[in-house]
């Protein structure tokens, strides 16, 4: 090894431990590193071996990040000295156990963010626990900074599921800037993807969406540069022909596209592809993070932008006015818990039981019209619709719905409001 010693040394002293699950250097013998293959975690793979004299097991998780070559990532981990390098395809578990419950809960945070990262982190951390145990590791390392939500989601999961495991988050403490990291990478033969000249966007993605942060995105008055959109076609370049996509749902779960039955992973990936082609799912969003910061994110969420509104529409069609008013409040609570890293909180599972109960009726088909960045509901049908065209029509009267009964209803319905209004106006006179 060359001049790795010139890079900043670990600065944490034994007295600065702020949580019981954080590892003291002396406790670290074998580390399970959540390894993405990017610069931070590659530097980390080497740095942990040097700083802690520990062995490193690399774990890379496939949640459907488009265009990733996992063979290359595994090779890189081995080349950097990992004693084992595992790649896990967790797309099915992610789709079934995390994205589907979120669809049932119309999972959106801050009116715009479909939670793809927030849903991925508890699964990633759960798998880290499983593989740490399998490889007899004492510590889990991850690449989160101290400023984001992801550290909360990952560490809360580990501390909940595996109190015996310790955590290190080197980026929070190593005080290397990007320049120093690149220097460290060069000194240690770590390849730097995409060159070192330009600071890249900070990207996170999976089959439910993609986020970009950093660079000009931090300037709130800077409209998006085109190069940030790597998933969704810019609406102005989208096809001139609209497309209608029919999504079939069974008990709240999307099961078919245009009548073709698909497994959930394929359905999500295909929907994303179709939405991306039509420029659907671009979100430019200011977000209230758990750790206090307000941050701007650019999201590309083509599958969510189609499936969430379709699900919500079908749910409203089969629910009563009372169910529909109530569920929105629970949906918001569900999304907040998940956003805030409390996936394992019992209230989330309690809420899931309610979501499942409501979604028992959510069977039917919704047609979404996709055109230049917009996804709009255009058709609905369901055997469970609480809807009767005969009753709703303006064209005939009579039958079960008596228009003669309406004035009596109005008189009683407005009774308290009318009394209160009268009292107030009398007092003002
Ligand atoms: N703001 C989103 C969230 O908190 C996306 C975070 C993306 N994560 C990342 N490491 N770049 O869920």
């Amino acid at each position: 090894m060359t001049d790795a010693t010139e890079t900043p040394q670990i600065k944490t002293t034994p007295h600065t431990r702020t949580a019981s699950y954080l590892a003291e250097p002396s406790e670290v013998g074998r580390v399970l590193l959540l390894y993405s293959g990017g610069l931070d975690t590659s530097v980390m793979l080497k740095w942990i071996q040097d700083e802690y004299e520990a062995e490193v097991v690399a774990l890379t998780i496939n949640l459907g990040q488009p265009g990733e070559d996992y063979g290359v990532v595994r090779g890189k981990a081995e080349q950097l000295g990992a004693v084992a390098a595992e790649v896990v395809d967790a797309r099915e578990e992610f789709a079934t156990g995390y994205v589907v419950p979120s669809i049932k809960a119309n999972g959106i945070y801050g009116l715009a963010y479909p939670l793809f990262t927030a849903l991925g982190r508890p699964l990633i951390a759960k798998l880290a626990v499983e593989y740490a145990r399998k490889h007899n590791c004492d510590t889990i390392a991850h690449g989160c900074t101290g400023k984001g939500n992801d550290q909360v989601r990952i560490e809360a999961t580990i501390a909940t599921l595996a109190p015996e495991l310790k955590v290190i988050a080197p980026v929070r403490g190593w005080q290397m800037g990007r320049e120093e990291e690149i220097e460290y990478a060069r000194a240690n033969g770590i390849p730097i993807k995409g060159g070192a000249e330009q600071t890249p966007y900070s990207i996170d993605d999976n089959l439910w969406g993609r986020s970009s942060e950093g660079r000009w995105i931090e300037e709130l008055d800077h409209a998006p540069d085109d190069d940030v959109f790597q998933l969704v076609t810019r609406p102005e370049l989208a096809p001139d022909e609209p497309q209608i996509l029919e999504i079939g749902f069974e008990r709240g779960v999307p099961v078919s596209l245009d009548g073709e039955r698909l497994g959930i992973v394929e359905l999500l990936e295909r929907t994303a592809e179709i939405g991306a082609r039509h420029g659907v799912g671009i979100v430019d969003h200011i977000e209230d993070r758990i750790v206090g910061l307000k941050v701007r994110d650019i999201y590309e969420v083509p599958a969510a932008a189609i499936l969430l509104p379709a699900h919500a529409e079908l749910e409203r069609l089969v629910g009563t006015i009372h169910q529909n008013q109530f569920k929105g409040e629970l949906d918001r609570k569900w999304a907040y818990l998940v956003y805030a890293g409390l996936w394992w909180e019992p209230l989330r599972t309690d809420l899931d039981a309610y979501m499942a109960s409501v979604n028992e009726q959510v069977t039917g088909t919704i047609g979404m019209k996709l055109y230049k960045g917009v996804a709009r509901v255009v058709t609905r049908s369901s055997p469970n619709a609480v809807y009767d065209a005969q009753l709703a029509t303006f064209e005939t009267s009579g039958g079960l719905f008596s228009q003669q009964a309406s004035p009596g209803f109005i008189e009683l319905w407005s009774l308290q409001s009318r009394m209160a209004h009268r009292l107030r106006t009398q007092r003002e006179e």
Side-chain angles (χ1 to χ4, degrees):
M1 224 148 329
T2 48
D3 49 353
T5 44
E6 284 177 24
T7 54
Q9 298 297 297
I10 186 164
K11 292 288 195 311
T12 34
T13 68
H15 308 291
T16 57
R17 179 148 91 167
T18 50
S20 58
Y21 61 79
L22 292 181
E24 300 284 0
S26 63
E27 295 171 317
V28 179
R30 184 180 260 240
V31 177
L32 184 294
L33 168 66
L34 282 165
Y35 183 62
S36 71
L39 179 66
D40 282 345
T41 55
S42 294
V43 166
M44 206 171 291
L45 207 170
K46 198 86 186 105
W47 188 87
I48 291 169
Q49 297 171 70
D50 291 346
E51 293 296 322
Y52 292 90
E53 290 171 8
E55 292 178 333
V56 178
V57 174
L59 173 64
T60 305
I61 297 165
N62 175 1
L63 295 185
Q65 307 79 310
E68 195 71 78
D69 184 335
Y70 293 98
V72 170
V73 176
R74 181 192 283 128
K76 201 167 164 187
E78 283 163 351
Q79 185 207 322
L80 293 174
V83 294
E86 301 247 27
V87 174
V88 178
D89 183 350
R91 286 176 301 164
E92 189 69 39
E93 186 176 5
F94 181 53
T96 309
Y98 296 77
V99 177
V100 164
S102 193
I103 292 173
K104 289 183 180 176
N106 302 307
I108 290 272
Y109 173 72
L111 302 178
Y113 169 44
L115 296 171
F116 53 90
T117 296
L119 291 163
R121 290 302 188 262
L123 173 56
I124 287 171
K126 186 191 86 158
L127 291 168
V129 165
E130 282 171 26
Y131 280 80
R133 286 176 174 158
K134 173 178 163 195
H135 287 274
N136 290 316
C137 298
D138 43 61
T139 303
I140 292 173
H142 63 77
C144 300
T145 70
K147 287 192 166 179
N149 297 316
D150 290 331
Q151 54 174 349
V152 182
R153 298 162 182 155
I154 288 178
E155 294 180 12
T157 297
I158 296 167
T160 304
L161 301 184
E164 82 280 9
L165 291 173
K166 300 286 178 189
V167 173
I168 54 176
V171 179
R172 259 185 335 216
W174 68 17
Q175 291 166 345
M176 276 193 265
R178 189 175 151 78
E179 292 296 301
E180 287 132 322
E181 274 191 60
I182 287 172
E183 217 173 283
Y184 186 100
R186 289 222 171 92
N188 288 282
I190 299 167
I192 301 158
K193 207 165 62 179
E197 294 70 36
Q198 161 111 292
T199 311
Y201 297 110
S202 163
I203 303 295
D204 186 63
D205 58 357
N206 59 46
L207 51 72
W208 199 225
R210 168 188 163 94
S211 78
S212 305
E213 295 172 349
R215 290 184 52 194
W216 54 262
I217 299 170
E218 290 167 4
E219 297 155 34
L220 302 189
D221 60 352
H222 191 126
D225 288 351
D226 292 344
D227 72 346
V228 75
F229 301 115
Q230 296 293 319
L231 184 61
V232 174
T233 307
R234 284 182 291 123
E236 53 271 39
L237 303 179
D240 293 328
E241 281 302 304
Q243 176 175 353
I244 291 179
L245 183 65
E246 293 207 325
I247 301 133
F249 288 88
E250 280 176 15
R251 300 174 167 200
V253 184
V255 294
S256 67
L257 294 181
D258 288 336
E260 184 185 354
R261 244 188 132 77
L262 296 169
I264 185 69
V265 170
E266 195 180 353
L267 186 143
L268 295 175
E269 290 183 342
R270 256 207 235 174
T271 307
E273 212 178 285
I274 295 167
R277 182 155 17 98
H278 286 281
V280 164
I282 292 176
V283 177
D284 180 341
H285 185 224
I286 301 287
E287 193 165 289
D288 287 308
R289 282 189 186 164
I290 295 316
V291 294
L293 296 170
K294 225 181 249 305
V295 174
R296 180 184 184 198
D297 279 273
I298 304 284
Y299 295 132
E300 294 166 84
V301 289
I306 294 170
L307 294 173
L308 289 177
H311 173 270
E313 177 78 1
L314 187 56
E315 193 181 82
R316 272 193 301 275
L317 186 62
V318 303
T320 66
I321 182 173
H322 307 290
Q323 289 179 299
N324 289 344
Q325 286 185 359
F326 186 62
K327 186 150 181 301
E329 293 171 34
L330 298 198
D331 288 349
R332 243 185 326 280
K333 186 73 194 174
W334 192 96
Y336 180 64
L337 287 177
V338 172
Y339 182 79
L342 298 181
W343 178 262
W344 309 98
E345 155 65 44
L347 178 57
R348 200 266 307 164
T349 14
D350 294 346
L351 292 174
D352 273 343
Y354 182 78
M355 304 301 171
S357 172
V358 170
N359 276 277
E360 277 296 301
Q361 305 303 318
V362 183
T363 294
T365 303
I366 297 292
M368 299 290 294
K369 185 170 185 174
L370 315 176
Y371 181 63
K372 291 198 186 287
V374 177
R376 179 161 57 87
V377 177
V378 288
T379 61
R380 334 83 186 119
S381 75
S382 168
N384 305 330
V386 187
Y387 176 80
D388 183 335
Q390 294 291 323
L391 289 185
T393 184
F394 291 109
E395 281 156 28
T396 57
S397 69
L400 270 177
F401 192 103
S402 163
Q403 297 199 39
Q404 308 312 319
S406 281
F409 163 75
I410 294 163
E411 183 153 66
L412 303 185
W413 173 243
S414 62
L415 179 58
Q416 288 199 8
S417 309
R418 286 185 289 115
M419 285 169 68
H421 183 79
R422 194 168 59 221
L423 283 168
R424 264 151 241 209
T425 39
Q426 274 168 0
R427 236 180 273 134
E428 277 159 23
E429 272 162 16

mmCIF file of all heavy atoms in Angstrom, residues 221-240:
data_model
loop_
_atom_site.group_PDB
_atom_site.id
_atom_site.type_symbol
_atom_site.label_atom_id
_atom_site.label_comp_id
_atom_site.label_asym_id
_atom_site.label_seq_id
_atom_site.Cartn_x
_atom_site.Cartn_y
_atom_site.Cartn_z
ATOM 1 N N ASP A 221 -33.529 28.230 -7.344
ATOM 2 C CA ASP A 221 -34.045 28.981 -8.492
ATOM 3 C C ASP A 221 -33.439 28.503 -9.809
ATOM 4 O O ASP A 221 -33.572 29.157 -10.829
ATOM 5 C CB ASP A 221 -33.792 30.482 -8.295
ATOM 6 C CG ASP A 221 -32.312 30.799 -8.160
ATOM 7 O OD1 ASP A 221 -31.493 29.850 -8.071
ATOM 8 O OD2 ASP A 221 -31.958 31.991 -8.149
ATOM 9 N N HIS A 222 -32.772 27.368 -9.764
ATOM 10 C CA HIS A 222 -32.172 26.812 -10.979
ATOM 11 C C HIS A 222 -33.123 25.764 -11.566
ATOM 12 O O HIS A 222 -33.355 24.719 -10.973
ATOM 13 C CB HIS A 222 -30.824 26.178 -10.610
ATOM 14 C CG HIS A 222 -29.987 25.800 -11.794
ATOM 15 N ND1 HIS A 222 -28.698 26.227 -11.956
ATOM 16 C CD2 HIS A 222 -30.259 25.031 -12.870
ATOM 17 C CE1 HIS A 222 -28.213 25.733 -13.084
ATOM 18 N NE2 HIS A 222 -29.135 25.001 -13.652
ATOM 19 N N ALA A 223 -33.695 26.064 -12.719
ATOM 20 C CA ALA A 223 -34.597 25.086 -13.375
ATOM 21 C C ALA A 223 -33.772 23.890 -13.831
ATOM 22 O O ALA A 223 -32.594 24.031 -14.170
ATOM 23 C CB ALA A 223 -35.297 25.744 -14.557
ATOM 24 N N PRO A 224 -34.385 22.705 -13.851
ATOM 25 C CA PRO A 224 -33.618 21.493 -14.153
ATOM 26 C C PRO A 224 -32.839 21.533 -15.472
ATOM 27 O O PRO A 224 -33.390 21.861 -16.516
ATOM 28 C CB PRO A 224 -34.709 20.408 -14.196
ATOM 29 C CG PRO A 224 -35.743 20.902 -13.261
ATOM 30 C CD PRO A 224 -35.758 22.397 -13.431
ATOM 31 N N ASP A 225 -31.549 21.217 -15.381
ATOM 32 C CA ASP A 225 -30.746 20.971 -16.575
ATOM 33 C C ASP A 225 -31.181 19.631 -17.149
ATOM 34 O O ASP A 225 -31.483 18.691 -16.417
ATOM 35 C CB ASP A 225 -29.247 20.889 -16.213
ATOM 36 C CG ASP A 225 -28.676 22.255 -15.841
ATOM 37 O OD1 ASP A 225 -29.384 23.263 -16.025
ATOM 38 O OD2 ASP A 225 -27.522 22.296 -15.355
ATOM 39 N N ASP A 226 -31.151 19.537 -18.471
ATOM 40 C CA ASP A 226 -31.647 18.318 -19.134
ATOM 41 C C ASP A 226 -30.880 17.061 -18.737
ATOM 42 O O ASP A 226 -31.445 15.974 -18.696
ATOM 43 C CB ASP A 226 -31.566 18.487 -20.657
ATOM 44 C CG ASP A 226 -32.548 19.538 -21.148
ATOM 45 O OD1 ASP A 226 -33.468 19.889 -20.372
ATOM 46 O OD2 ASP A 226 -32.380 20.010 -22.284
ATOM 47 N N ASP A 227 -29.586 17.212 -18.434
ATOM 48 C CA ASP A 227 -28.765 16.009 -18.232
ATOM 49 C C ASP A 227 -29.114 15.246 -16.954
ATOM 50 O O ASP A 227 -28.646 14.137 -16.740
ATOM 51 C CB ASP A 227 -27.271 16.364 -18.250
ATOM 52 C CG ASP A 227 -26.851 17.112 -16.994
ATOM 53 O OD1 ASP A 227 -27.739 17.594 -16.241
ATOM 54 O OD2 ASP A 227 -25.633 17.223 -16.751
ATOM 55 N N VAL A 228 -29.982 15.831 -16.112
ATOM 56 C CA VAL A 228 -30.351 15.120 -14.884
ATOM 57 C C VAL A 228 -31.318 13.967 -15.187
ATOM 58 O O VAL A 228 -31.394 12.992 -14.453
ATOM 59 C CB VAL A 228 -30.950 16.098 -13.839
ATOM 60 C CG1 VAL A 228 -32.370 16.512 -14.212
ATOM 61 C CG2 VAL A 228 -30.936 15.490 -12.448
ATOM 62 N N PHE A 229 -32.029 14.084 -16.307
ATOM 63 C CA PHE A 229 -33.070 13.080 -16.606
ATOM 64 C C PHE A 229 -32.469 11.901 -17.367
ATOM 65 O O PHE A 229 -32.255 11.962 -18.574
ATOM 66 C CB PHE A 229 -34.214 13.720 -17.400
ATOM 67 C CG PHE A 229 -34.858 14.857 -16.660
ATOM 68 C CD1 PHE A 229 -34.783 16.158 -17.136
ATOM 69 C CD2 PHE A 229 -35.509 14.632 -15.453
ATOM 70 C CE1 PHE A 229 -35.357 17.205 -16.440
ATOM 71 C CE2 PHE A 229 -36.092 15.675 -14.747
ATOM 72 C CZ PHE A 229 -36.008 16.967 -15.245
ATOM 73 N N GLN A 230 -32.185 10.849 -16.637
ATOM 74 C CA GLN A 230 -31.547 9.676 -17.241
ATOM 75 C C GLN A 230 -32.525 8.519 -17.396
ATOM 76 O O GLN A 230 -32.181 7.469 -17.910
ATOM 77 C CB GLN A 230 -30.360 9.224 -16.380
ATOM 78 C CG GLN A 230 -29.242 10.241 -16.305
ATOM 79 C CD GLN A 230 -28.543 10.450 -17.643
ATOM 80 O OE1 GLN A 230 -28.300 9.507 -18.377
ATOM 81 N NE2 GLN A 230 -28.251 11.711 -17.970
ATOM 82 N N LEU A 231 -33.737 8.713 -16.916
ATOM 83 C CA LEU A 231 -34.711 7.620 -16.941
ATOM 84 C C LEU A 231 -35.916 8.013 -17.792
ATOM 85 O O LEU A 231 -36.319 7.297 -18.699
ATOM 86 C CB LEU A 231 -35.139 7.314 -15.493
ATOM 87 C CG LEU A 231 -36.070 6.153 -15.246
ATOM 88 C CD1 LEU A 231 -35.446 4.847 -15.695
ATOM 89 C CD2 LEU A 231 -36.432 6.074 -13.756
ATOM 90 N N VAL A 232 -36.459 9.180 -17.487
ATOM 91 C CA VAL A 232 -37.692 9.627 -18.143
ATOM 92 C C VAL A 232 -37.351 10.549 -19.314
ATOM 93 O O VAL A 232 -36.538 11.459 -19.173
ATOM 94 C CB VAL A 232 -38.584 10.373 -17.119
ATOM 95 C CG1 VAL A 232 -39.801 10.989 -17.804
ATOM 96 C CG2 VAL A 232 -39.030 9.430 -16.007
ATOM 97 N N THR A 233 -37.977 10.273 -20.458
ATOM 98 C CA THR A 233 -37.857 11.149 -21.625
ATOM 99 C C THR A 233 -38.424 12.513 -21.268
ATOM 100 O O THR A 233 -39.480 12.592 -20.632
ATOM 101 C CB THR A 233 -38.721 10.595 -22.785
ATOM 102 O OG1 THR A 233 -38.353 9.240 -22.990
ATOM 103 C CG2 THR A 233 -38.535 11.380 -24.061
ATOM 104 N N ARG A 234 -37.743 13.571 -21.665
ATOM 105 C CA ARG A 234 -38.323 14.877 -21.390
ATOM 106 C C ARG A 234 -39.634 15.010 -22.175
ATOM 107 O O ARG A 234 -39.696 14.625 -23.339
ATOM 108 C CB ARG A 234 -37.330 15.972 -21.758
ATOM 109 C CG ARG A 234 -36.228 16.080 -20.703
ATOM 110 C CD ARG A 234 -35.264 17.186 -21.005
ATOM 111 N NE ARG A 234 -34.452 16.906 -22.169
ATOM 112 C CZ ARG A 234 -34.374 17.680 -23.256
ATOM 113 N NH1 ARG A 234 -35.071 18.800 -23.326
ATOM 114 N NH2 ARG A 234 -33.615 17.348 -24.267
ATOM 115 N N PRO A 235 -40.682 15.508 -21.502
ATOM 116 C CA PRO A 235 -42.009 15.534 -22.137
ATOM 117 C C PRO A 235 -42.008 16.136 -23.540
ATOM 118 O O PRO A 235 -42.720 15.651 -24.414
ATOM 119 C CB PRO A 235 -42.838 16.381 -21.167
ATOM 120 C CG PRO A 235 -42.196 16.141 -19.838
ATOM 121 C CD PRO A 235 -40.719 15.981 -20.112
ATOM 122 N N GLU A 236 -41.183 17.155 -23.744
ATOM 123 C CA GLU A 236 -41.205 17.792 -25.067
ATOM 124 C C GLU A 236 -40.656 16.874 -26.160
ATOM 125 O O GLU A 236 -40.886 17.096 -27.335
ATOM 126 C CB GLU A 236 -40.493 19.152 -25.050
ATOM 127 C CG GLU A 236 -39.076 19.175 -24.493
ATOM 128 C CD GLU A 236 -38.997 19.406 -22.978
ATOM 129 O OE1 GLU A 236 -39.844 18.854 -22.236
ATOM 130 O OE2 GLU A 236 -38.059 20.106 -22.545
ATOM 131 N N LEU A 237 -39.933 15.819 -25.753
ATOM 132 C CA LEU A 237 -39.405 14.871 -26.737
ATOM 133 C C LEU A 237 -40.233 13.583 -26.796
ATOM 134 O O LEU A 237 -39.912 12.662 -27.550
ATOM 135 C CB LEU A 237 -37.954 14.510 -26.387
ATOM 136 C CG LEU A 237 -36.963 15.660 -26.289
ATOM 137 C CD1 LEU A 237 -35.580 15.147 -25.923
ATOM 138 C CD2 LEU A 237 -36.909 16.436 -27.600
ATOM 139 N N ALA A 238 -41.283 13.523 -25.986
ATOM 140 C CA ALA A 238 -42.095 12.296 -25.922
ATOM 141 C C ALA A 238 -42.944 12.164 -27.194
ATOM 142 O O ALA A 238 -43.160 13.143 -27.904
ATOM 143 C CB ALA A 238 -42.985 12.339 -24.683
ATOM 144 N N PRO A 239 -43.422 10.937 -27.471
ATOM 145 C CA PRO A 239 -44.174 10.698 -28.714
ATOM 146 C C PRO A 239 -45.382 11.617 -28.859
ATOM 147 O O PRO A 239 -46.003 12.008 -27.870
ATOM 148 C CB PRO A 239 -44.639 9.245 -28.561
ATOM 149 C CG PRO A 239 -43.750 8.624 -27.549
ATOM 150 C CD PRO A 239 -43.261 9.712 -26.666
ATOM 151 N N ASP A 240 -45.725 11.944 -30.104
ATOM 152 C CA ASP A 240 -46.895 12.784 -30.374
ATOM 153 C C ASP A 240 -48.196 12.001 -30.244
ATOM 154 O O ASP A 240 -49.263 12.585 -30.147
ATOM 155 C CB ASP A 240 -46.799 13.372 -31.792
ATOM 156 C CG ASP A 240 -45.649 14.362 -31.886
ATOM 157 O OD1 ASP A 240 -45.352 15.024 -30.860
ATOM 158 O OD2 ASP A 240 -45.027 14.459 -32.954
#
